[in-house]
Amino acid sequence: MSLPSEAEDMDKIRVAVIDDEELARRILRELLAAHSDVEIVAECANGFEAVKASAELTPDLLILDIQMPKLDGFDVLELVGGKTPVIFVTAYDSYAIRAFKIHAVDYLLKPFSAERLAEALGRARERIRSREGPPVRDLLSTARTDRKPIQRVLIRDRADVHVIPVETIDYVESQDDYVAVKSGGHSYLKEQTMADLEALLDPRAFVRIHRRYVLNLARLARIELAVTDSRIAILTDGTELPISRTGYARLRELL
Amino acid sequence: MHPILGERRRLVIYLLAFLLVGLLLVVGLRGGSTWLASIVFFLPLSVAYGFISLSAWYVCRAFPVHANARPGNIVAVHVVAAAVASLMLVAIGFAWATAVDSLADLEAGRLFTEQRALLFIIGALLFWLAAVFHYLLIAFEASREAETRALELSLLAREAELKALRAQIDPHFIFNSLHSISALTSIDPAAARQMCLLLADFLRETLRLGSNSRISLADEFALAERFLAIEQVRLGSRLQVTRDTDPLATECLVPPLLLQPLVENAVVHGVAQLVDGGTIRMAASRDGSTVTITLENPCDPDRSRSRGVGLGLDLLRKQLTTQFGVYDAVHANEASGQFRVEVRLPAVTA
């Protein structure tokens, strides 16, 4: 009897299977069992579990359903940072373009054959070996096929996920490479540039009033003149934010 | 297009028949002439007459045999046509005999003079035979055309049925169901078979009921339950269903597949969007002249709205208005994580 050597063990592809349907997870488990170099490290029934498992277990590959409650496959990918190669599994062919824009390893249509899965795994092995491909995070924002503004902001806090509907955001503050999303007295830190987030928000509801601040117009109570040529926005909860000159011009256009 | 001239195979068989007739003439009308003279005279003449007799088709087409046709007219026309054709035969015969005699003295002219009366009668009879043959061909073509048209029509009807089905059922539902079956085949073969039967039953019932103009609400609920049973295999315990229907309501007649977009919405945009799932409540009640159908399902208030919510409802509203003349029948509202849709229809029983 020989134990698998450490080197062999290292070569194993550690996979997280994410699908909200039990049967869909079971067929993946069954088909993956035929591949000795693949090890399932996590089975997740929803996006929250997937984000948690990704943070704690850092799998080499995600096999990810798209249509899931609360967080869909693309949301999960955005939240895990998009460095992990992903094989999408879905009954819908309409997401294929978006999936390939973010350099998904493969796109399996349900129902799929064992051969088709093996082919996808082959591609995944290559991707993992070469460690190629740009980080998906940079591609995610451009991959939205619909140019509609986002309706919620997803923020990962270690293994937890916050889903913040955009209408509950008071304002967003830029902090170097991060943005702090202020909502109902809470502050959520997200690794994203202000310009990226601003581009995703509805320009009729959110306005950049200052180099460091994007304001939800619905929260604006009044504008006060502080010193000469300098104005301050007073929010409905009393918070005061500085308004720059160009910010004031943008505000006047909208009001 | 001429039914014989248009098809090379038919033309060959037809001319072979006239060649056979020619051989009979060679033997029967030789009289005192030499075999050579008889063969040289009758065989080409017979084939030439075959071509002339093709004109019978134009007569047949102009005077078709059908229930309202006047037999007197048809007979008269064919007597005249046969006489003209046969006179042509005799004239060609005369010309041919003269030509043959001028090239090689076979005494074809004598053969012609001896047999011209008989040739005229045989020519007329052959023309009528050709006419009968053409009538048969026309009838054959007509029946084949009718058959083709019937087949085309049934194909069109099937296509329309399938189109209707496609409009009613989300194809992803079928893909997802097939994926569930694919998973079950190794885990639980009996359940896989059961799922196949459920799916087949549902699709067949949808086609059958969809082709009616009105069906009973009881049938509608039975179909909706079949759909939900299939979705329960996929979603497991996340999907629960309750039904509370008044027998007085379910005996009423409604447009077919009325509930389908509603239950589909309830699953796809409701329960399936919840991590822990929920219960779909179906109910039907009757208040005098009105039947009220309600469907309730829990939903995620923060769900992404860009997933085609309400499209099914709009389609249903339009369908009820344009096809069934029922206005303002569909009411939907959403409050504290519960989506509720109500359809009110005039109570009609069979």
Side-chain angles (χ1 to χ4, degrees), chain B residues 145-225:
Chain B
E145 206 169 293
E147 216 170 274
T148 315
R149 198 170 317 143
L151 203 68
E152 269 169 10
L153 278 178
S154 80
L155 277 177
L156 275 178
R158 175 79 64 78
E159 209 172 298
E161 268 182 0
L162 285 175
K163 265 193 192 141
L165 178 69
R166 216 162 28 219
Q168 294 294 343
I169 296 170
D170 181 1
H172 302 110
F173 158 69
I174 296 173
F175 292 136
N176 275 321
S177 301
L178 289 173
H179 193 60
S180 300
I181 292 171
S182 172
L184 284 169
T185 36
S186 57
I187 301 162
D188 186 350
R193 185 174 307 149
Q194 180 61 26
M195 179 78 164
C196 282
L197 295 176
L198 276 172
L199 191 60
D201 270 356
F202 169 74
L203 293 174
R204 198 170 287 129
E205 278 297 278
T206 304
L207 279 179
R208 190 176 70 82
L209 297 176
S211 62
N212 297 335
S213 62
R214 304 263 167 170
I215 64 168
S216 78
L217 192 53
D219 279 348
E220 265 298 308
F221 273 108
L223 189 66
E225 279 184 332

Side-chain angles (χ1 to χ4, degrees), chain B residues 228-241:
Chain B
L228 291 169
I230 295 167
E231 290 291 60
Q232 261 172 335
V233 174
R234 188 165 73 88
L235 296 170
S237 57
R238 279 166 67 202
L239 174 59
Q240 304 291 324
V241 179

Side-chain angles (χ1 to χ4, degrees), chain B:
Chain B
M1 194 62 209
H2 196 291
I4 294 175
L5 274 177
E7 269 186 47
R8 180 193 287 266
R9 200 170 57 91
R10 279 184 189 170
L11 185 64
V12 168
I13 292 169
Y14 174 83
L15 289 179
L16 278 177
F18 268 87
L19 204 62
L20 200 68
V21 169
L23 282 174
L24 290 174
L25 293 180
V26 167
V27 177
L29 300 185
R30 182 171 65 96
S33 301
T34 60
W35 280 104
L36 184 64
S38 191
I39 288 170
V40 169
F41 180 67
F42 283 117
L43 282 190
L45 190 64
S46 183
V47 173
Y49 193 55
F51 279 105
I52 291 171
S53 298
L54 285 175
S55 63
W57 182 66
Y58 300 99
V59 183
C60 295
R61 201 180 50 168
F63 293 88
V65 179
H66 51 74
N68 309 337
R70 289 190 184 162
N73 279 4
I74 292 176
V75 168
V77 162
H78 278 289
V79 165
V80 173
V84 171
S86 203
L87 273 176
M88 277 170 77
L89 172 67
V90 172
I92 292 168
F94 174 70
W96 180 234
T98 314
V100 167
D101 281 348
S102 71
L103 288 171
D105 190 13
L106 293 171
E107 293 191 337
R110 193 171 57 84
L111 182 59
F112 169 75
T113 319
E114 271 172 18
Q115 305 292 11
R116 61 187 170 196
L118 212 51
L119 198 62
F120 178 77
I121 294 167
I122 290 170
L125 289 174
L126 280 176
F127 187 84
W128 286 328
L129 207 62
V132 168
F133 182 62
H134 278 100
Y135 273 129
L136 285 175
L137 266 184
I138 288 170
F140 171 70
E141 301 248 298
S143 85
R144 207 166 61 167
E145 206 169 293
E147 216 170 274
T148 315
R149 198 170 317 143
L151 203 68
E152 269 169 10
L153 278 178
S154 80
L155 277 177
L156 275 178
R158 175 79 64 78
E159 209 172 298
E161 268 182 0
L162 285 175
K163 265 193 192 141
L165 178 69
R166 216 162 28 219
Q168 294 294 343
I169 296 170
D170 181 1
H172 302 110
F173 158 69
I174 296 173
F175 292 136
N176 275 321
S177 301
L178 289 173
H179 193 60
S180 300
I181 292 171
S182 172
L184 284 169
T185 36
S186 57
I187 301 162
D188 186 350
R193 185 174 307 149
Q194 180 61 26
M195 179 78 164
C196 282
L197 295 176
L198 276 172
L199 191 60
D201 270 356
F202 169 74
L203 293 174
R204 198 170 287 129
E205 278 297 278
T206 304
L207 279 179
R208 190 176 70 82
L209 297 176
S211 62
N212 297 335
S213 62
R214 304 263 167 170
I215 64 168
S216 78
L217 192 53
D219 279 348
E220 265 298 308
F221 273 108
L223 189 66
E225 279 184 332
R226 278 207 169 93
F227 173 83
L228 291 169
I230 295 167
E231 290 291 60
Q232 261 172 335
V233 174
R234 188 165 73 88
L235 296 170
S237 57
R238 279 166 67 202
L239 174 59
Q240 304 291 324
V241 179
T242 66
R243 174 178 161 177
D244 173 23
T245 48
D246 179 355
L248 275 176
T250 53
E251 70 176 22
C252 290
L253 296 179
V254 295
L257 312 184
L258 170 82
L259 290 174
Q260 185 56 34
L262 304 181
V263 284
E264 208 175 278
N265 263 356
V267 174
V268 175
H269 302 299
V271 172
Q273 300 289 331
L274 292 165
V275 173
D276 296 321
T279 304
I280 294 178
R281 293 174 209 284
M282 304 191 288
S285 61
R286 184 171 167 180
D287 172 20
S289 62
T290 307
V291 187
T292 306
I293 304 158
T294 42
L295 241 91
E296 255 185 298
N297 62 273
C299 61
D300 174 10
D302 303 327
R303 72 183 180 275
S304 160
R305 306 275 157 169
S306 58
R307 287 179 178 164
V309 190
L311 192 71
L313 288 182
D314 283 345
L315 273 174
L316 181 63
R317 261 186 212 112
K318 248 179 229 152
Q319 190 197 357
L320 286 175
T321 310
T322 55
Q323 291 175 30
F324 302 96
V326 189
Y327 291 86
D328 198 30
V330 185
H331 296 267
N333 71 323
E334 188 182 330
S336 54
Q338 280 284 321
F339 185 81
R340 179 186 161 95
V341 59
E342 204 175 83
V343 182
R344 273 191 292 266
L345 294 171
V348 183
T349 48

Side-chain angles (χ1 to χ4, degrees), chain A residues 66-79:
Chain A
I66 293 180
Q67 290 271 338
M68 290 188 294
K70 291 278 190 188
L71 300 177
D72 69 17
F74 292 104
D75 294 337
V76 170
L77 217 52
E78 183 187 337
L79 287 162

